[in-house]
Amino acid sequence: MKKRITRIAVSTVAGLILLIGIALAYVKLALPNVGPAPRLTVRTDAASIEHGRYLANHVVGCMGCHSTRDFTRLAGPLMAATEGKGGEGFLREAGFPGNYYAPNLTPAHLGTWTDGEIYRTITTGVSLDGHALFPVMPYQFYAKMDPEDIYDIIAYVRSLKPIENAVPASESDFPMSFIINTIPAKATPGKRPDTTDRVAYGKYLVSSAACIECHTRGNDRGELLADMDFAGGRKWAMPGGTVQSANITPAKSGIRNWTRADFIARFKSYDTETPLPTVGVGEMNTVMPWTMYAGATEQDLGAIYDYLRTVTPVENPIKSFAPKTKLVADR
């Protein structure tokens, strides 16, 4: 009887191990599965490229991660002649489950890709060779954008000056090396609202810019905390200390007392040709790409304000900067 029970137990454990092995093999080999890249050809006329340039630089913010920023200056403005070259790292020491690098977006790298392959990568998180991208690029938000806007971004990327820049391959630690394959999903395209519907249009811009990703705290697994949308508190370790994102809900500790003019002026204060001040040792800097969003139109910034005034207010006082003592980085 004892031997029989032992054989059953061994068989059960072996069966479980086999099932787990099959499941892991499926996740690793069969996923992600978002279907083939669509067959499409985007317009590359001047208007499409200009609109794509505006979105990629001043709304969606592609160039902020796929170029080189000068963090010796306040807000890390883009360095000239680096547009789209890639290479920025999102690394383990900053709390990521692996090392991830923004790829080169210039024709030096994407020149052999089809428009459909670029579209699939932007909107599903699946690269040319079928591997999954870590969602530090918030493709779940880009998946909801109007395809026409994505097409214009592709047209703009096609127009960039080719820059040869070999970017390291990204790598995930276990168990993210398996989990990452389960994240990509088919795009669910939306429609850009009419600009006269200011709240709906502002919501579209906020989603396209993935503002919630930076302005919401997360747990140890990187999941955004429930009921804390836009309340700020996400931390970044900077050379001089730790910075936290602002509360942008209409709470007293957020933007309740801000007028639309105040909100727009805060961004436009960075829209200047005067070089931003240098940041000394131990002084505050920020990852917020103010110089990029400063180029957004007052109409778009005003619509963003109008939408943010409708979100649930959350009282969450933020200490913007803690001088370097012990660097902490989390979501």
Side-chain angles (χ1 to χ4, degrees), residues 55-74:
L55 292 174
N57 284 276
H58 306 306
V59 178
V60 181
C62 312
M63 293 300 107
C65 290
H66 292 273
S67 307
T68 302
R69 294 173 64 182
D70 180 8
F71 280 105
T72 66
R73 294 189 177 278
L74 183 64

Side-chain angles (χ1 to χ4, degrees), residues 68-91:
T68 302
R69 294 173 64 182
D70 180 8
F71 280 105
T72 66
R73 294 189 177 278
L74 183 64
L78 297 191
M79 297 180 68
T82 69
E83 290 84 353
K85 68 186 284 289
E88 180 174 353
F90 302 87
L91 310 177

Side-chain angles (χ1 to χ4, degrees), residues 114-193:
T114 67
D115 293 337
E117 288 164 346
I118 298 175
Y119 180 86
R120 183 179 69 166
T121 298
I122 293 173
T123 59
T124 71
V126 176
S127 193
L128 177 65
D129 62 3
H131 80 269
L133 304 181
F134 186 74
V136 65
M137 183 185 84
Y139 50 80
Q140 302 101 321
F141 293 89
Y142 304 157
K144 302 173 185 177
M145 289 178 64
D146 190 320
E148 293 297 327
D149 283 344
I150 301 294
Y151 298 161
D152 287 351
I153 290 173
I154 294 172
Y156 166 68
V157 166
R158 294 287 199 200
S159 75
L160 292 172
K161 178 182 177 181
I163 302 175
E164 295 292 342
N165 183 35
V167 176
S170 296
E171 56 183 11
S172 296
D173 300 329
F174 180 84
M176 182 52 66
S177 53
F178 285 88
I179 295 172
I180 193 172
N181 283 5
T182 70
I183 302 175
K186 293 182 179 180
T188 54
K191 181 70 176 176
R192 182 176 64 248

Side-chain angles (χ1 to χ4, degrees), residues 182-247:
T182 70
I183 302 175
K186 293 182 179 180
T188 54
K191 181 70 176 176
R192 182 176 64 248
D194 192 283
T195 56
T196 58
D197 188 344
R198 299 186 61 80
V199 171
Y201 180 58
K203 182 178 181 180
Y204 177 79
L205 294 174
V206 166
S207 176
S208 299
C211 302
I212 196 171
E213 287 281 280
C214 288
H215 286 276
T216 306
R217 289 173 52 203
N219 59 25
D220 292 339
R221 297 183 299 277
E223 300 164 335
L224 300 184
L225 296 180
D227 303 321
M228 294 296 289
D229 291 357
F230 301 107
R234 180 175 174 180
K235 298 178 182 178
W236 285 268
M238 302 289 286
T242 300
V243 295
Q244 295 192 71
S245 58
N247 183 343

